[in-house]
DNA sequence: GTAAAAGCTCAACCTTGGTTGAGGTCAACG
DNA sequence: CGTTGACCTCAACCAAGGTTGAGCTTTTAC
């Protein structure tokens, strides 16, 4: 860390600096703070100051969003990070591992849908009684009590 | 088709019947009609009447939604269906084939993200300079002019 | 020392995909 | 013929994830 970087670390980043370095709009940073996703303190003139850690936090938030995790869930996960010390690699890895499961599930759901869709392109999608798309696998597997798209195959 | 089914076909389904047979709320059917996704005519008392075709249309809409296609795009695609005759299996298959491409792309994006995330769980996600999650592959591949998450790897 | 740039708060607005409710009409059953 | 239940329209509301703008203060640069 250079001397000027040490000063930076003590004074903190301004909201504009964080926006530029993270690629996130200032309004989004305000929004994230209001939603409890990030934190800041204020300087004498009521301007926000951020610690260096906020950059990694924002990176994690954006990755989780890409994985399809809603902000509220991300906020919950971030609250499980240690408050006393700066989170380390292991802490971040724990969050990632949790989200990987959700991501796996989403990929599997979409992959199943794609396979069914592929089959139906060949068979005249949605026109045959046996079409799996008409009766989503999940609802069927759950015992048929789910909200079936069509109550009887003869409907179409 | 039984005799009563023939009468049904002439008179059309009521909105309540379509809701029950399709598993979609009445308010949603009104909404879909307002958005140009489905059509109806009116009986003497200004009540909506639907042709049997609407059921397949709704099935297709819901499948496309599951694939992540926004309603506006679905509406566009549905407008390419023949207006003169009842769409046949080939017509529906064409739409499905188009959406399959989008679905493929979404699956690939998520799969790449998962693989990167997996790597980072092992490596101490987001803490190392080489972490691919910090600099999404797409932006990099596009020539680096995209909105990079962090301008310099040394930021974190 | 002054002007521009950056920051502040708070409320309003945006899109997507619908749901809810008020106030009124239509239809079907007994 | 009356009373339910189904239907109508239109406007308001919801959640998520932000963006925009007005009006005011602070900081920075010349």
């Amino acid at each position: 860390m250079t001397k000027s970087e040490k000063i930076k670390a003590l004074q903190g980043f301004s909201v504009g600096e964080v926006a530029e370095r993270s690629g996130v709009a200032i309004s989004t940073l305000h929004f994230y703070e209001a939603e409890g996703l990030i934190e800041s303190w204020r300087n004498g003139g009521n301007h926000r100051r951020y610690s260096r850690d906020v950059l990694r936090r924002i990176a994690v938030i954006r990755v989780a969003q890409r994985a399809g995790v809603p902000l509220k869930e991300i906020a919950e996960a971030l609250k499980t990070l240690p408050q006393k010390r700066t989170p380390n690699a292991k802490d971040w890895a724990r969050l990632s591992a949790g989200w990987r499961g959700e991501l796996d599930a989403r990929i599997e759901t979409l992959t199943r849908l794609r396979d069914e869709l592929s089959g139906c392109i060949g068979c005249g999608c949605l026109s045959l009684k046996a079409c799996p798309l008409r009766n989503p696998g999940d609802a069927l597997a759950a015992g048929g009590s789910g909200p079936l798209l069509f109550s009887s195959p003869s409907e179409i």
Side-chain angles (χ1 to χ4, degrees), chain A residues 42-137:
Chain A
R42 302 300 175 108
N43 74 354
N46 196 33
H47 286 190
R48 286 172 180 82
R49 289 298 174 252
Y50 297 91
S51 76
R52 174 173 299 278
D53 287 18
V54 85
L55 294 173
R56 196 175 313 177
R57 243 179 131 85
I58 294 166
V60 169
I61 291 166
R62 307 249 70 158
V63 168
Q65 278 197 297
R66 280 210 282 151
V69 182
L71 281 187
K72 275 191 182 160
E73 237 177 88
I74 300 173
E76 290 305 309
L78 290 175
K79 283 191 186 95
T80 70
L81 288 173
Q83 317 265 306
K84 302 279 179 182
R85 59 174 172 78
T86 300
N88 59 28
K90 224 172 183 171
D91 295 318
W92 296 118
R94 179 172 48 77
L95 300 190
S96 308
W99 290 326
R100 223 204 86 131
E102 296 187 30
L103 190 48
D104 279 342
R106 296 215 312 132
I107 290 171
E108 205 190 305
T109 299
L110 290 177
T111 301
R112 191 164 354 106
L113 177 59
R114 177 183 57 185
D115 293 345
E116 290 169 3
L117 201 52
S118 301
C120 289
I121 290 171
C123 82
C125 178
L126 293 168
S127 66
L128 296 179
K129 294 187 182 182
C131 183
L133 286 173
R134 308 246 309 279
N135 209 342

